Amino acid sequence: MTDHCAAVHRVLHAELGPTPPQAATDPALLPIFDISARHEVTNLDMVHRVVTALGLDPAEWIERIPDRPNHDRRYLINPEKAETRLGRRPVHDFDSAPAETVRWYVEHRAWWEWILEEKGELGVDWGAVSPATRGH
């Protein structure tokens, strides 16, 4: 999470100048940057990491969505533009980062619950999650 947030911050505060008219026919000139840890894993592997970090059994909590099978196989982006134009590279260990991110969200539950309450866009069945995971 820290690497991704640092990358977004770098993009938001970069001195990019005006977008040239040639960007209308050359998308590479647009101020669009892919952010990546350059650590390719499948979405399914990432979901396993998150669910495991929550202390849950992936076999009980992961459900395949049949209309998007390729998203479980590979999702690859090229962060070269962010690396060369913004000097942006990840600095944190990818293998421990997902668990650290999950831990942050568990420890800061009031923050994201307030956002969900205000937005009302996501429902979580906390009754199905163990009290230890819920942070109670």
Short mmCIF file of all heavy atoms in Angstrom, two decimals, residues 54-118:
data_model
loop_
_atom_site.label_atom_id
_atom_site.label_comp_id
_atom_site.label_asym_id
_atom_site.label_seq_id
_atom_site.Cartn_x
_atom_site.Cartn_y
_atom_site.Cartn_z
N LEU A 54 -6.14 -12.21 6.72
CA LEU A 54 -7.29 -11.99 7.59
C LEU A 54 -7.55 -13.18 8.51
O LEU A 54 -8.47 -13.15 9.34
CB LEU A 54 -8.54 -11.70 6.76
CG LEU A 54 -8.60 -10.33 6.12
CD1 LEU A 54 -9.73 -10.26 5.11
CD2 LEU A 54 -8.75 -9.24 7.18
N GLY A 55 -6.74 -14.23 8.36
CA GLY A 55 -6.91 -15.40 9.20
C GLY A 55 -8.06 -16.28 8.76
O GLY A 55 -8.60 -17.05 9.56
N LEU A 56 -8.44 -16.18 7.51
CA LEU A 56 -9.57 -16.94 6.98
C LEU A 56 -9.07 -18.03 6.03
O LEU A 56 -7.96 -17.96 5.51
CB LEU A 56 -10.53 -16.01 6.26
CG LEU A 56 -11.08 -14.85 7.10
CD1 LEU A 56 -11.84 -13.88 6.22
CD2 LEU A 56 -11.95 -15.37 8.23
N ASP A 57 -9.91 -19.01 5.76
CA ASP A 57 -9.59 -20.10 4.86
C ASP A 57 -9.98 -19.72 3.44
O ASP A 57 -11.17 -19.54 3.15
CB ASP A 57 -10.34 -21.36 5.30
CG ASP A 57 -10.08 -22.56 4.41
OD1 ASP A 57 -9.27 -22.46 3.46
OD2 ASP A 57 -10.69 -23.61 4.66
N PRO A 58 -9.01 -19.58 2.53
CA PRO A 58 -9.33 -19.21 1.15
C PRO A 58 -10.35 -20.14 0.48
O PRO A 58 -11.18 -19.68 -0.28
CB PRO A 58 -7.98 -19.28 0.43
CG PRO A 58 -6.98 -19.05 1.51
CD PRO A 58 -7.56 -19.70 2.74
N ALA A 59 -10.33 -21.41 0.83
CA ALA A 59 -11.27 -22.36 0.22
C ALA A 59 -12.72 -22.02 0.57
O ALA A 59 -13.63 -22.29 -0.19
CB ALA A 59 -10.95 -23.78 0.66
N GLU A 60 -12.92 -21.39 1.71
CA GLU A 60 -14.26 -21.03 2.14
C GLU A 60 -14.67 -19.63 1.70
O GLU A 60 -15.87 -19.32 1.69
CB GLU A 60 -14.36 -21.11 3.66
CG GLU A 60 -14.23 -22.51 4.21
CD GLU A 60 -14.32 -22.55 5.72
OE1 GLU A 60 -14.92 -21.61 6.31
OE2 GLU A 60 -13.78 -23.49 6.32
N TRP A 61 -13.72 -18.77 1.35
CA TRP A 61 -14.02 -17.36 1.11
C TRP A 61 -13.84 -16.89 -0.32
O TRP A 61 -14.24 -15.78 -0.66
CB TRP A 61 -13.17 -16.49 2.04
CG TRP A 61 -13.69 -16.55 3.43
CD1 TRP A 61 -13.35 -17.45 4.40
CD2 TRP A 61 -14.69 -15.72 3.99
NE1 TRP A 61 -14.07 -17.21 5.53
CE2 TRP A 61 -14.90 -16.15 5.32
CE3 TRP A 61 -15.43 -14.64 3.51
CZ2 TRP A 61 -15.82 -15.54 6.15
CZ3 TRP A 61 -16.33 -14.03 4.36
CH2 TRP A 61 -16.52 -14.48 5.66
N ILE A 62 -13.25 -17.70 -1.17
CA ILE A 62 -13.01 -17.26 -2.55
C ILE A 62 -14.01 -17.94 -3.48
O ILE A 62 -14.16 -19.15 -3.47
CB ILE A 62 -11.56 -17.57 -2.99
CG1 ILE A 62 -10.58 -16.79 -2.12
CG2 ILE A 62 -11.38 -17.23 -4.48
CD1 ILE A 62 -9.13 -17.14 -2.36
N GLU A 63 -14.68 -17.11 -4.26
CA GLU A 63 -15.67 -17.62 -5.21
C GLU A 63 -15.26 -17.16 -6.61
O GLU A 63 -15.03 -15.97 -6.85
CB GLU A 63 -17.04 -17.04 -4.86
CG GLU A 63 -18.13 -17.49 -5.79
CD GLU A 63 -19.48 -16.90 -5.41
OE1 GLU A 63 -19.63 -16.39 -4.29
OE2 GLU A 63 -20.37 -16.91 -6.27
N ARG A 64 -15.18 -18.08 -7.53
CA ARG A 64 -14.84 -17.74 -8.92
C ARG A 64 -16.04 -17.11 -9.62
O ARG A 64 -17.17 -17.52 -9.42
CB ARG A 64 -14.40 -18.97 -9.68
CG ARG A 64 -13.07 -19.49 -9.22
CD ARG A 64 -12.53 -20.48 -10.24
NE ARG A 64 -11.22 -20.91 -9.87
CZ ARG A 64 -10.09 -20.31 -10.27
NH1 ARG A 64 -10.15 -19.26 -11.05
NH2 ARG A 64 -8.93 -20.75 -9.89
N ILE A 65 -15.75 -16.13 -10.44
CA ILE A 65 -16.77 -15.46 -11.25
C ILE A 65 -16.57 -15.97 -12.68
O ILE A 65 -15.57 -15.67 -13.32
CB ILE A 65 -16.63 -13.92 -11.19
CG1 ILE A 65 -16.62 -13.45 -9.74
CG2 ILE A 65 -17.71 -13.26 -12.02
CD1 ILE A 65 -17.88 -13.76 -8.96
N PRO A 66 -17.50 -16.74 -13.21
CA PRO A 66 -17.29 -17.40 -14.50
C PRO A 66 -17.18 -16.47 -15.70
O PRO A 66 -16.59 -16.85 -16.70
CB PRO A 66 -18.50 -18.32 -14.64
CG PRO A 66 -19.53 -17.77 -13.71
CD PRO A 66 -18.78 -17.08 -12.62
N ASP A 67 -17.70 -15.26 -15.64
CA ASP A 67 -17.67 -14.41 -16.82
C ASP A 67 -16.35 -13.65 -16.98
O ASP A 67 -16.18 -12.90 -17.93
CB ASP A 67 -18.85 -13.43 -16.83
CG ASP A 67 -18.78 -12.43 -15.69
OD1 ASP A 67 -18.14 -12.73 -14.67
OD2 ASP A 67 -19.38 -11.35 -15.83
N ARG A 68 -15.39 -13.84 -16.09
CA ARG A 68 -14.10 -13.15 -16.19
C ARG A 68 -12.93 -14.09 -15.91
O ARG A 68 -12.08 -13.79 -15.08
CB ARG A 68 -14.08 -11.97 -15.24
CG ARG A 68 -15.18 -10.95 -15.56
CD ARG A 68 -15.11 -9.80 -14.67
NE ARG A 68 -13.90 -9.07 -14.96
CZ ARG A 68 -13.77 -7.77 -14.78
NH1 ARG A 68 -14.75 -7.06 -14.33
NH2 ARG A 68 -12.64 -7.17 -15.04
N PRO A 69 -12.83 -15.21 -16.61
CA PRO A 69 -11.81 -16.21 -16.27
C PRO A 69 -10.37 -15.73 -16.47
O PRO A 69 -9.49 -16.13 -15.74
CB PRO A 69 -12.14 -17.39 -17.19
CG PRO A 69 -12.86 -16.77 -18.34
CD PRO A 69 -13.64 -15.62 -17.75
N ASN A 70 -10.13 -14.88 -17.45
CA ASN A 70 -8.75 -14.45 -17.71
C ASN A 70 -8.20 -13.54 -16.63
O ASN A 70 -6.99 -13.41 -16.49
CB ASN A 70 -8.65 -13.77 -19.08
CG ASN A 70 -8.81 -14.78 -20.19
OD1 ASN A 70 -8.46 -15.94 -20.04
ND2 ASN A 70 -9.36 -14.34 -21.31
N HIS A 71 -9.06 -12.90 -15.87
CA HIS A 71 -8.58 -12.01 -14.82
C HIS A 71 -7.91 -12.78 -13.69
O HIS A 71 -7.16 -12.22 -12.92
CB HIS A 71 -9.71 -11.14 -14.29
CG HIS A 71 -10.09 -10.07 -15.25
ND1 HIS A 71 -9.67 -8.77 -15.12
CD2 HIS A 71 -10.81 -10.12 -16.39
CE1 HIS A 71 -10.14 -8.06 -16.12
NE2 HIS A 71 -10.84 -8.86 -16.91
N ASP A 72 -8.18 -14.07 -13.59
CA ASP A 72 -7.52 -14.89 -12.58
C ASP A 72 -6.17 -15.39 -13.07
O ASP A 72 -5.36 -15.84 -12.29
CB ASP A 72 -8.38 -16.08 -12.19
CG ASP A 72 -9.54 -15.67 -11.31
OD1 ASP A 72 -9.48 -14.56 -10.73
OD2 ASP A 72 -10.50 -16.43 -11.20
N ARG A 73 -5.93 -15.33 -14.36
CA ARG A 73 -4.69 -15.86 -14.91
C ARG A 73 -3.56 -14.84 -14.93
O ARG A 73 -2.47 -15.09 -14.47
CB ARG A 73 -4.94 -16.40 -16.31
CG ARG A 73 -5.80 -17.63 -16.31
CD ARG A 73 -5.83 -18.29 -17.67
NE ARG A 73 -6.86 -19.31 -17.66
CZ ARG A 73 -7.97 -19.24 -18.35
NH1 ARG A 73 -8.19 -18.23 -19.15
NH2 ARG A 73 -8.86 -20.19 -18.27
N ARG A 74 -3.85 -13.68 -15.51
CA ARG A 74 -2.76 -12.70 -15.66
C ARG A 74 -3.32 -11.31 -15.86
O ARG A 74 -4.25 -11.10 -16.63
CB ARG A 74 -1.90 -13.07 -16.87
CG ARG A 74 -0.66 -12.23 -16.96
CD ARG A 74 0.24 -12.76 -18.05
NE ARG A 74 1.54 -12.13 -17.93
CZ ARG A 74 2.43 -12.09 -18.89
NH1 ARG A 74 2.16 -12.66 -20.04
NH2 ARG A 74 3.58 -11.50 -18.71
N TYR A 75 -2.73 -10.37 -15.14
CA TYR A 75 -3.08 -8.96 -15.30
C TYR A 75 -1.76 -8.21 -15.22
O TYR A 75 -1.18 -8.07 -14.16
CB TYR A 75 -4.03 -8.51 -14.18
CG TYR A 75 -4.51 -7.09 -14.34
CD1 TYR A 75 -5.47 -6.77 -15.28
CD2 TYR A 75 -3.98 -6.09 -13.56
CE1 TYR A 75 -5.90 -5.48 -15.44
CE2 TYR A 75 -4.41 -4.78 -13.70
CZ TYR A 75 -5.38 -4.49 -14.64
OH TYR A 75 -5.80 -3.19 -14.79
N LEU A 76 -1.27 -7.81 -16.36
CA LEU A 76 0.07 -7.25 -16.43
C LEU A 76 0.02 -5.83 -17.00
O LEU A 76 -0.63 -5.59 -18.01
CB LEU A 76 0.94 -8.14 -17.33
CG LEU A 76 2.39 -7.73 -17.48
CD1 LEU A 76 3.12 -7.82 -16.15
CD2 LEU A 76 3.06 -8.64 -18.50
N ILE A 77 0.70 -4.93 -16.33
CA ILE A 77 0.83 -3.57 -16.85
C ILE A 77 2.32 -3.24 -16.93
O ILE A 77 3.16 -3.89 -16.31
CB ILE A 77 0.10 -2.54 -15.97
CG1 ILE A 77 0.66 -2.53 -14.56
CG2 ILE A 77 -1.39 -2.80 -15.97
CD1 ILE A 77 0.11 -1.42 -13.70
N ASN A 78 2.63 -2.22 -17.70
CA ASN A 78 4.02 -1.82 -17.88
C ASN A 78 4.25 -0.47 -17.19
O ASN A 78 3.79 0.56 -17.67
CB ASN A 78 4.34 -1.72 -19.37
CG ASN A 78 5.79 -1.38 -19.62
OD1 ASN A 78 6.54 -1.07 -18.70
ND2 ASN A 78 6.19 -1.41 -20.87
N PRO A 79 4.98 -0.46 -16.07
CA PRO A 79 5.20 0.78 -15.33
C PRO A 79 6.40 1.59 -15.82
O PRO A 79 6.82 2.55 -15.18
CB PRO A 79 5.45 0.28 -13.91
CG PRO A 79 6.16 -1.01 -14.14
CD PRO A 79 5.50 -1.62 -15.37
N GLU A 80 6.94 1.25 -16.98
CA GLU A 80 8.17 1.89 -17.47
C GLU A 80 8.03 3.42 -17.57
O GLU A 80 8.95 4.16 -17.22
CB GLU A 80 8.56 1.31 -18.83
CG GLU A 80 9.87 1.87 -19.35
CD GLU A 80 10.27 1.23 -20.67
OE1 GLU A 80 9.59 0.30 -21.14
OE2 GLU A 80 11.29 1.67 -21.22
N LYS A 81 6.89 3.90 -18.01
CA LYS A 81 6.69 5.34 -18.15
C LYS A 81 6.80 6.04 -16.79
O LYS A 81 7.46 7.08 -16.67
CB LYS A 81 5.34 5.63 -18.80
CG LYS A 81 5.08 7.08 -19.10
CD LYS A 81 3.75 7.19 -19.85
CE LYS A 81 3.31 8.60 -20.07
NZ LYS A 81 2.01 8.66 -20.75
N ALA A 82 6.18 5.49 -15.77
CA ALA A 82 6.28 6.07 -14.42
C ALA A 82 7.70 6.00 -13.90
O ALA A 82 8.19 6.92 -13.24
CB ALA A 82 5.33 5.35 -13.47
N GLU A 83 8.39 4.92 -14.23
CA GLU A 83 9.77 4.76 -13.76
C GLU A 83 10.71 5.74 -14.44
O GLU A 83 11.56 6.35 -13.78
CB GLU A 83 10.23 3.33 -14.02
CG GLU A 83 9.50 2.30 -13.18
CD GLU A 83 9.76 0.86 -13.59
OE1 GLU A 83 10.41 0.64 -14.64
OE2 GLU A 83 9.30 -0.03 -12.88
N THR A 84 10.56 5.92 -15.75
CA THR A 84 11.49 6.80 -16.46
C THR A 84 11.14 8.28 -16.31
O THR A 84 12.03 9.09 -16.08
CB THR A 84 11.56 6.43 -17.96
OG1 THR A 84 10.26 6.49 -18.52
CG2 THR A 84 12.15 5.05 -18.15
N ARG A 85 9.86 8.63 -16.43
CA ARG A 85 9.49 10.06 -16.37
C ARG A 85 9.39 10.60 -14.96
O ARG A 85 9.61 11.79 -14.74
CB ARG A 85 8.17 10.30 -17.10
CG ARG A 85 8.36 10.13 -18.61
CD ARG A 85 7.29 10.73 -19.45
NE ARG A 85 6.91 12.08 -19.12
CZ ARG A 85 5.72 12.60 -19.43
NH1 ARG A 85 4.84 11.87 -20.07
NH2 ARG A 85 5.44 13.83 -19.12
N LEU A 86 9.06 9.74 -14.00
CA LEU A 86 8.86 10.21 -12.63
C LEU A 86 9.88 9.65 -11.65
O LEU A 86 9.87 10.00 -10.48
CB LEU A 86 7.44 9.83 -12.15
CG LEU A 86 6.29 10.32 -13.01
CD1 LEU A 86 4.98 9.77 -12.49
CD2 LEU A 86 6.27 11.84 -13.04
N GLY A 87 10.76 8.77 -12.12
CA GLY A 87 11.74 8.16 -11.23
C GLY A 87 11.09 7.29 -10.17
O GLY A 87 11.58 7.16 -9.06
N ARG A 88 9.96 6.70 -10.51
CA ARG A 88 9.15 5.95 -9.55
C ARG A 88 9.48 4.46 -9.59
O ARG A 88 9.36 3.83 -10.62
CB ARG A 88 7.67 6.18 -9.90
CG ARG A 88 6.69 5.25 -9.30
CD ARG A 88 6.57 5.44 -7.79
NE ARG A 88 5.92 4.26 -7.23
CZ ARG A 88 6.53 3.41 -6.43
NH1 ARG A 88 7.77 3.58 -6.09
NH2 ARG A 88 5.89 2.38 -5.96
N ARG A 89 9.93 3.94 -8.46
CA ARG A 89 10.18 2.51 -8.32
C ARG A 89 9.72 2.06 -6.93
O ARG A 89 9.88 2.80 -5.97
CB ARG A 89 11.66 2.19 -8.47
CG ARG A 89 12.19 2.45 -9.86
CD ARG A 89 13.55 1.77 -10.06
NE ARG A 89 14.18 2.16 -11.30
CZ ARG A 89 13.83 1.72 -12.50
NH1 ARG A 89 12.84 0.89 -12.63
NH2 ARG A 89 14.46 2.11 -13.58
N PRO A 90 9.18 0.84 -6.82
CA PRO A 90 8.77 0.36 -5.50
C PRO A 90 9.99 0.14 -4.61
O PRO A 90 11.07 -0.18 -5.09
CB PRO A 90 8.07 -0.96 -5.80
CG PRO A 90 8.49 -1.35 -7.17
CD PRO A 90 8.90 -0.10 -7.89
N VAL A 91 9.79 0.33 -3.32
CA VAL A 91 10.91 0.17 -2.37
C VAL A 91 10.61 -0.87 -1.29
O VAL A 91 11.51 -1.29 -0.59
CB VAL A 91 11.28 1.51 -1.71
CG1 VAL A 91 11.81 2.49 -2.74
CG2 VAL A 91 10.12 2.10 -0.96
N HIS A 92 9.35 -1.28 -1.14
CA HIS A 92 8.98 -2.22 -0.09
C HIS A 92 8.96 -3.65 -0.62
O HIS A 92 8.73 -3.89 -1.80
CB HIS A 92 7.63 -1.85 0.51
CG HIS A 92 7.67 -0.56 1.24
ND1 HIS A 92 7.47 0.65 0.62
CD2 HIS A 92 7.93 -0.29 2.54
CE1 HIS A 92 7.59 1.62 1.51
NE2 HIS A 92 7.87 1.07 2.68
N ASP A 93 9.17 -4.61 0.27
CA ASP A 93 9.16 -6.02 -0.06
C ASP A 93 7.75 -6.45 -0.44
O ASP A 93 6.82 -6.36 0.38
CB ASP A 93 9.66 -6.84 1.14
CG ASP A 93 9.55 -8.32 0.90
OD1 ASP A 93 10.07 -8.79 -0.13
OD2 ASP A 93 8.92 -9.01 1.73
N PHE A 94 7.57 -6.93 -1.65
CA PHE A 94 6.25 -7.29 -2.13
C PHE A 94 5.64 -8.45 -1.34
O PHE A 94 4.45 -8.48 -1.09
CB PHE A 94 6.29 -7.65 -3.62
CG PHE A 94 4.93 -7.97 -4.16
CD1 PHE A 94 4.09 -6.96 -4.58
CD2 PHE A 94 4.48 -9.28 -4.23
CE1 PHE A 94 2.82 -7.24 -5.06
CE2 PHE A 94 3.22 -9.57 -4.71
CZ PHE A 94 2.39 -8.55 -5.13
N ASP A 95 6.45 -9.40 -0.94
CA ASP A 95 5.89 -10.58 -0.27
C ASP A 95 5.26 -10.26 1.08
O ASP A 95 4.31 -10.90 1.48
CB ASP A 95 6.96 -11.66 -0.12
CG ASP A 95 7.30 -12.30 -1.46
OD1 ASP A 95 6.39 -12.43 -2.30
OD2 ASP A 95 8.47 -12.65 -1.67
N SER A 96 5.77 -9.26 1.78
CA SER A 96 5.18 -8.90 3.07
C SER A 96 4.16 -7.76 2.96
O SER A 96 3.35 -7.57 3.87
CB SER A 96 6.28 -8.52 4.06
OG SER A 96 6.97 -7.37 3.61
N ALA A 97 4.17 -7.02 1.87
CA ALA A 97 3.30 -5.85 1.73
C ALA A 97 1.81 -6.15 1.80
O ALA A 97 1.08 -5.41 2.47
CB ALA A 97 3.64 -5.10 0.44
N PRO A 98 1.29 -7.21 1.16
CA PRO A 98 -0.16 -7.45 1.27
C PRO A 98 -0.61 -7.66 2.72
O PRO A 98 -1.62 -7.10 3.14
CB PRO A 98 -0.39 -8.69 0.41
CG PRO A 98 0.71 -8.64 -0.60
CD PRO A 98 1.90 -8.10 0.16
N ALA A 99 0.13 -8.44 3.48
CA ALA A 99 -0.24 -8.69 4.88
C ALA A 99 -0.16 -7.40 5.69
O ALA A 99 -1.01 -7.14 6.56
CB ALA A 99 0.64 -9.77 5.49
N GLU A 100 0.84 -6.57 5.41
CA GLU A 100 0.96 -5.28 6.12
C GLU A 100 -0.22 -4.37 5.78
O GLU A 100 -0.73 -3.66 6.64
CB GLU A 100 2.28 -4.61 5.75
CG GLU A 100 3.49 -5.32 6.31
CD GLU A 100 4.80 -4.77 5.76
OE1 GLU A 100 4.81 -3.67 5.16
OE2 GLU A 100 5.82 -5.45 5.93
N THR A 101 -0.64 -4.38 4.53
CA THR A 101 -1.79 -3.57 4.12
C THR A 101 -3.06 -4.05 4.80
O THR A 101 -3.84 -3.24 5.32
CB THR A 101 -1.95 -3.61 2.58
OG1 THR A 101 -0.76 -3.08 1.99
CG2 THR A 101 -3.15 -2.80 2.13
N VAL A 102 -3.27 -5.35 4.82
CA VAL A 102 -4.45 -5.89 5.49
C VAL A 102 -4.42 -5.51 6.97
O VAL A 102 -5.43 -5.08 7.53
CB VAL A 102 -4.51 -7.43 5.32
CG1 VAL A 102 -5.55 -8.05 6.25
CG2 VAL A 102 -4.81 -7.78 3.87
N ARG A 103 -3.26 -5.64 7.60
CA ARG A 103 -3.14 -5.28 9.02
C ARG A 103 -3.50 -3.81 9.24
O ARG A 103 -4.20 -3.46 10.18
CB ARG A 103 -1.72 -5.58 9.51
CG ARG A 103 -1.53 -5.39 10.99
CD ARG A 103 -0.18 -5.87 11.54
NE ARG A 103 0.96 -5.76 10.65
CZ ARG A 103 1.48 -6.77 9.92
NH1 ARG A 103 0.93 -7.98 9.98
NH2 ARG A 103 2.52 -6.59 9.14
N TRP A 104 -3.06 -2.92 8.33
CA TRP A 104 -3.37 -1.50 8.46
C TRP A 104 -4.89 -1.28 8.42
O TRP A 104 -5.44 -0.55 9.24
CB TRP A 104 -2.70 -0.69 7.35
CG TRP A 104 -2.85 0.78 7.55
CD1 TRP A 104 -1.98 1.61 8.18
CD2 TRP A 104 -3.95 1.60 7.12
NE1 TRP A 104 -2.47 2.89 8.18
CE2 TRP A 104 -3.68 2.92 7.54
CE3 TRP A 104 -5.13 1.35 6.44
CZ2 TRP A 104 -4.55 3.98 7.29
CZ3 TRP A 104 -6.00 2.40 6.19
CH2 TRP A 104 -5.70 3.70 6.62
N TYR A 105 -5.56 -1.93 7.48
CA TYR A 105 -7.01 -1.76 7.38
C TYR A 105 -7.73 -2.33 8.59
O TYR A 105 -8.74 -1.78 9.04
CB TYR A 105 -7.55 -2.35 6.08
CG TYR A 105 -7.37 -1.40 4.92
CD1 TYR A 105 -6.26 -1.47 4.10
CD2 TYR A 105 -8.31 -0.41 4.67
CE1 TYR A 105 -6.09 -0.59 3.05
CE2 TYR A 105 -8.16 0.48 3.62
CZ TYR A 105 -7.04 0.39 2.82
OH TYR A 105 -6.88 1.27 1.79
N VAL A 106 -7.25 -3.44 9.13
CA VAL A 106 -7.85 -4.01 10.34
C VAL A 106 -7.67 -3.05 11.51
O VAL A 106 -8.59 -2.80 12.28
CB VAL A 106 -7.24 -5.40 10.65
CG1 VAL A 106 -7.63 -5.87 12.04
CG2 VAL A 106 -7.69 -6.42 9.59
N GLU A 107 -6.47 -2.46 11.63
CA GLU A 107 -6.18 -1.55 12.75
C GLU A 107 -6.86 -0.20 12.61
O GLU A 107 -7.00 0.53 13.58
CB GLU A 107 -4.66 -1.37 12.88
CG GLU A 107 -3.96 -2.63 13.35
CD GLU A 107 -2.45 -2.52 13.30
OE1 GLU A 107 -1.91 -1.46 12.87
OE2 GLU A 107 -1.78 -3.52 13.67
N HIS A 108 -7.26 0.17 11.41
CA HIS A 108 -7.89 1.46 11.14
C HIS A 108 -9.33 1.29 10.67
O HIS A 108 -9.81 2.02 9.81
CB HIS A 108 -7.07 2.26 10.12
CG HIS A 108 -5.72 2.61 10.63
ND1 HIS A 108 -4.64 1.78 10.50
CD2 HIS A 108 -5.28 3.70 11.30
CE1 HIS A 108 -3.59 2.34 11.06
NE2 HIS A 108 -3.95 3.49 11.56
N ARG A 109 -10.01 0.36 11.28
CA ARG A 109 -11.37 0.02 10.88
C ARG A 109 -12.32 1.22 10.94
O ARG A 109 -13.15 1.40 10.05
CB ARG A 109 -11.88 -1.11 11.77
CG ARG A 109 -13.25 -1.56 11.40
CD ARG A 109 -13.66 -2.76 12.21
NE ARG A 109 -15.04 -3.09 11.88
CZ ARG A 109 -15.67 -4.11 12.36
NH1 ARG A 109 -15.05 -4.94 13.16
NH2 ARG A 109 -16.92 -4.33 12.03
N ALA A 110 -12.22 2.04 11.97
CA ALA A 110 -13.12 3.19 12.10
C ALA A 110 -13.01 4.11 10.89
O ALA A 110 -14.01 4.67 10.43
CB ALA A 110 -12.82 3.96 13.38
N TRP A 111 -11.81 4.26 10.36
CA TRP A 111 -11.59 5.14 9.20
C TRP A 111 -12.37 4.65 7.99
O TRP A 111 -13.11 5.40 7.37
CB TRP A 111 -10.09 5.21 8.90
CG TRP A 111 -9.76 5.97 7.66
CD1 TRP A 111 -9.69 7.32 7.52
CD2 TRP A 111 -9.47 5.41 6.37
NE1 TRP A 111 -9.36 7.65 6.22
CE2 TRP A 111 -9.23 6.49 5.50
CE3 TRP A 111 -9.38 4.12 5.87
CZ2 TRP A 111 -8.91 6.30 4.16
CZ3 TRP A 111 -9.06 3.94 4.55
CH2 TRP A 111 -8.83 5.03 3.71
N TRP A 112 -12.20 3.36 7.62
CA TRP A 112 -12.88 2.89 6.41
C TRP A 112 -14.35 2.61 6.64
O TRP A 112 -15.15 2.72 5.71
CB TRP A 112 -12.16 1.71 5.76
CG TRP A 112 -11.95 0.48 6.58
CD1 TRP A 112 -10.81 0.13 7.25
CD2 TRP A 112 -12.88 -0.59 6.79
NE1 TRP A 112 -10.98 -1.08 7.87
CE2 TRP A 112 -12.23 -1.54 7.60
CE3 TRP A 112 -14.18 -0.83 6.37
CZ2 TRP A 112 -12.86 -2.72 8.01
CZ3 TRP A 112 -14.80 -2.00 6.77
CH2 TRP A 112 -14.14 -2.93 7.58
N GLU A 113 -14.74 2.27 7.87
CA GLU A 113 -16.17 2.10 8.12
C GLU A 113 -16.91 3.42 7.95
O GLU A 113 -18.04 3.45 7.46
CB GLU A 113 -16.42 1.52 9.51
CG GLU A 113 -16.21 0.03 9.57
CD GLU A 113 -16.58 -0.56 10.91
OE1 GLU A 113 -16.61 0.17 11.93
OE2 GLU A 113 -16.83 -1.78 10.94
N TRP A 114 -16.29 4.51 8.37
CA TRP A 114 -16.90 5.82 8.20
C TRP A 114 -17.09 6.12 6.71
O TRP A 114 -18.14 6.61 6.30
CB TRP A 114 -16.05 6.91 8.86
CG TRP A 114 -16.62 8.27 8.65
CD1 TRP A 114 -17.60 8.87 9.39
CD2 TRP A 114 -16.28 9.21 7.62
NE1 TRP A 114 -17.89 10.12 8.88
CE2 TRP A 114 -17.09 10.35 7.79
CE3 TRP A 114 -15.37 9.19 6.57
CZ2 TRP A 114 -17.01 11.45 6.96
CZ3 TRP A 114 -15.29 10.29 5.74
CH2 TRP A 114 -16.10 11.41 5.94
N ILE A 115 -16.09 5.81 5.90
CA ILE A 115 -16.19 6.03 4.45
C ILE A 115 -17.32 5.18 3.87
O ILE A 115 -18.14 5.67 3.10
CB ILE A 115 -14.85 5.72 3.75
CG1 ILE A 115 -13.79 6.74 4.18
CG2 ILE A 115 -15.02 5.70 2.23
CD1 ILE A 115 -12.40 6.41 3.72
N LEU A 116 -17.40 3.93 4.25
CA LEU A 116 -18.47 3.07 3.74
C LEU A 116 -19.84 3.56 4.18
O LEU A 116 -20.80 3.53 3.42
CB LEU A 116 -18.25 1.63 4.22
CG LEU A 116 -17.05 0.91 3.64
CD1 LEU A 116 -16.92 -0.48 4.25
CD2 LEU A 116 -17.12 0.82 2.13
N GLU A 117 -19.91 4.03 5.42
CA GLU A 117 -21.18 4.55 5.92
C GLU A 117 -21.61 5.79 5.14
O GLU A 117 -22.77 5.94 4.77
CB GLU A 117 -21.04 4.89 7.40
CG GLU A 117 -22.34 5.24 8.07
CD GLU A 117 -22.15 5.45 9.57
OE1 GLU A 117 -21.64 4.52 10.23
OE2 GLU A 117 -22.49 6.54 10.04
N GLU A 118 -20.67 6.67 4.86
CA GLU A 118 -20.97 7.89 4.11
C GLU A 118 -21.35 7.58 2.66
O GLU A 118 -22.25 8.18 2.11
CB GLU A 118 -19.77 8.84 4.13
CG GLU A 118 -19.51 9.47 5.48
CD GLU A 118 -20.63 10.41 5.89
OE1 GLU A 118 -21.01 11.28 5.07
OE2 GLU A 118 -21.12 10.27 7.02
#
